[in-house]
Amino acid sequence: MYQATSVIELRQYVQHWKDHGQSIAFIPTMGNLHAGHMSLIEKGQSLSDRTICSIFVNPMQFGPNEDWDHYPRSLEADLAQLEAIGCDLVYLPTASELYPDGLDKISQVQVTDLTEHYEGAHRPGHFTGVATVVLKLFNIVRPDVSVFGKKDYQQYRVISKMVEDFNLEVQIIGQETTRDDSGLATSSRNQYLDAAQKKTAAGIYRQLQQTAASIDQGERDFNTLEQDAINNLGAAGFNTDYFKICNAETLLPATSEDRDLVILVTAALGQTRLLDNIEISLW
Ligand code: PAF
């Protein structure tokens, strides 16, 4: 596996591959890689000749009260996993190259439409940080496809919208969420759950499935479904931030006319905030 830390180095590899007619898949990450990330890499590999993964803990997407300093970093283990899976190149940008004049001086990408609610409301500025770094990385790597986990469904939609809005020549692929046998979505935050909490945590996906089944069977009183779900999750020990039935594309509250829906949920168990979602197609 090749490694590049500077833009110039990275572009030399990419140019060489492009000169040989090879297509490129790109998977941006913040490291601390797990099975979910590996499924993104595998998807990229299935769609292209060369796969590039970046690891960069992007300071711009962390709020003032969020712990950028303490975000788990595990470079050695990450590189070993990427090597084992056959990733072609890992890009390890430096903050000084991506943000040479600091975070205050950099232009910002605001995907206005989709970032007001849910994680955007909980983490002001977060999606601007994500969109800005991803646009920079797209322009540096110039991939044909880029794979994002649907576990972070709002992020996946924000990136897709940015690509549409700015006519970027990259195809965005949403990869299905990796789950353990209990249904719990793979996440680096799962490591903060104790054994009992882990068992409870699986209930979040069971609730999503239950609400999705009711909608599938024709229930259209979304407010009641949402309230019932919040009550059930509360009884199981969750503190629910939001449980919202949305239009899968716009993320606006779903109407009975909508055919492609997604239920977005964020619920905390103790100090750990868990995100999950389920898509529903009513065609
Ligand atoms: O999902 C992530 O890990 C990050 O938000 C991303 C897309 C790599 C941007 O920093």
Side-chain angles (χ1 to χ4, degrees), residues 113-128:
D113 213 20
L114 292 173
T115 54
E116 239 175 74
H117 302 295
Y118 319 119
E119 289 313 284
H122 186 79
R123 306 175 71 184
H126 169 69
F127 285 120
T128 296

Side-chain angles (χ1 to χ4, degrees), residues 27-31 37 54 56-58 61 71 126 129-131 133-134 137 148 152 155 159:
I27 291 90
T29 79
M30 299 209 299
H37 295 107
S54 65
F56 179 63
V57 185
N58 173 34
Q61 68 190 72
Y71 191 84
H126 169 69
V130 170
V133 82
V134 171
L137 292 170
F148 287 81
D152 294 313
Q155 170 172 280
I159 299 300

